Amino acid sequence: MAIKHGRHQEDPGRGESPPGHTYLSAAGLRARGWTPAMMRRLLGEPDLLRTNPVFRSAPRARLYLVARVEAAEQGEEFRAVAAAAARRSAVGRAAALRRRREVLARIAAEPIDVPRLAPDRLAELAVEHRNRLDAERALRRPGHVPDPATVDGAEPGALDRWKVDYLRHRLTRYDEILDELHGRTGRAAAEELLRRRIYTAVTKAYPDLARECERRLSEQQCGPPPG
């Protein structure tokens, strides 16, 4: 970002901004390919420090004269340092891409074993799981009163949600895989792939739950509906 200044009083001790001079901020330098290390090495101290007009307690912006920046960019040292930085960046991107591919390959190869249960048994276990979670919620949230459900009294849509919740609970060992990937490149993509594989496996085992699985995938892509 280039910034033009007329006569403008700056921070005490830094003098006035010479009329007609144009400056580049650190963000502007980064857009031109400068790294913080290159700024320190080739430019040294900024030519101007400007106080943030909104947050005066924030660190002052460092501004560099465009003429000085352009002169540095014409030098052999800049070209050598910039080329070395570009090589390091390319190596870093390649390593990150390799790690991401490794993580996704692991998730793609992991078997997804959905328990096959009779419809009545699945409904019974799903309601029991729902009621257990509801009772645990009452322990964590003062004022929450448990409202036990029954298979016969459940709405079909609610029962489908509880069935998928229960089956997802039975597949929690896959969350351990994601925990192992915490902080690693590709974790977000791995989580999405694993989620899709789990709901696809549930749909294959229980075709009547396909709509609920599709709803969850759509909601997780777009975010929950408002309200």
Side-chain angles (χ1 to χ4, degrees):
M1 178 184 300
I3 303 173
K4 279 196 172 184
H5 290 272
R7 292 190 62 83
H8 174 70
Q9 185 67 39
E10 293 295 329
D11 298 310
R14 300 300 297 180
E16 295 183 348
S17 174
H21 279 236
T22 302
Y23 295 85
L24 280 166
S25 66
L29 287 171
R30 287 194 295 271
R32 295 167 71 103
W34 288 73
T35 66
M38 291 165 63
M39 296 177 205
R40 291 191 299 270
R41 177 174 174 178
L42 301 179
L43 296 177
E45 291 297 316
D47 298 292
L48 197 63
L49 293 174
R50 188 177 64 178
T51 300
N52 188 309
V54 178
F55 303 103
R56 301 192 68 83
S57 61
R60 291 180 296 178
R62 302 185 307 277
L63 302 177
Y64 302 84
L65 280 167
V66 169
R68 194 157 70 89
V69 171
E70 291 176 343
E73 289 175 345
Q74 297 303 312
E76 289 295 332
E77 186 176 10
F78 174 84
R79 285 191 283 270
V81 173
R87 286 194 297 271
R88 288 193 298 272
S89 179
V91 169
R93 287 195 300 270
L97 180 60
R98 183 179 65 254
R99 289 192 296 269
R100 185 177 187 274
R101 287 172 175 168
E102 291 171 352
V103 167
L104 293 178
R106 177 182 175 185
I107 295 299
E110 188 70 23
I112 307 291
D113 300 317
V114 179
R116 308 285 181 126
L117 302 168
D120 291 346
R121 181 58 176 162
L122 176 58
E124 178 184 348
L125 291 172
V127 170
E128 288 179 0
H129 178 65
R130 179 265 174 201
N131 289 341
R132 183 166 56 254
L133 292 179
D134 191 43
E136 292 173 356
R137 191 174 300 114
L139 296 176
R140 298 192 305 270
R141 300 180 184 173
H144 177 77
V145 178
D147 182 22
T150 63
V151 174
D152 293 336
E155 294 289 336
L159 190 55
D160 284 351
R161 290 197 303 272
W162 299 341
K163 287 177 180 178
V164 174
D165 284 340
Y166 170 73
L167 293 169
R168 184 67 184 83
H169 171 72
R170 289 287 300 270
L171 300 172
T172 51
R173 75 180 188 85
Y174 300 103
D175 292 333
E176 298 174 3
I177 298 173
L178 295 178
D179 288 340
E180 295 174 8
L181 302 176
H182 179 70
R184 291 186 57 184
T185 301
R187 188 190 189 284
E191 186 173 355
E192 180 180 353
L193 175 60
L194 181 56
R195 185 187 305 122
R196 286 188 170 279
R197 292 200 62 218
I198 286 175
Y199 288 133
T200 298
V202 170
T203 296
K204 184 176 180 180
Y206 301 94
D208 57 313
L209 297 178
R211 179 174 295 180
E212 173 62 17
C213 290
E214 290 172 1
R215 183 192 69 79
R216 292 185 179 217
L217 285 172
S218 176
E219 182 176 290
Q220 286 161 348
Q221 284 180 337
C222 306

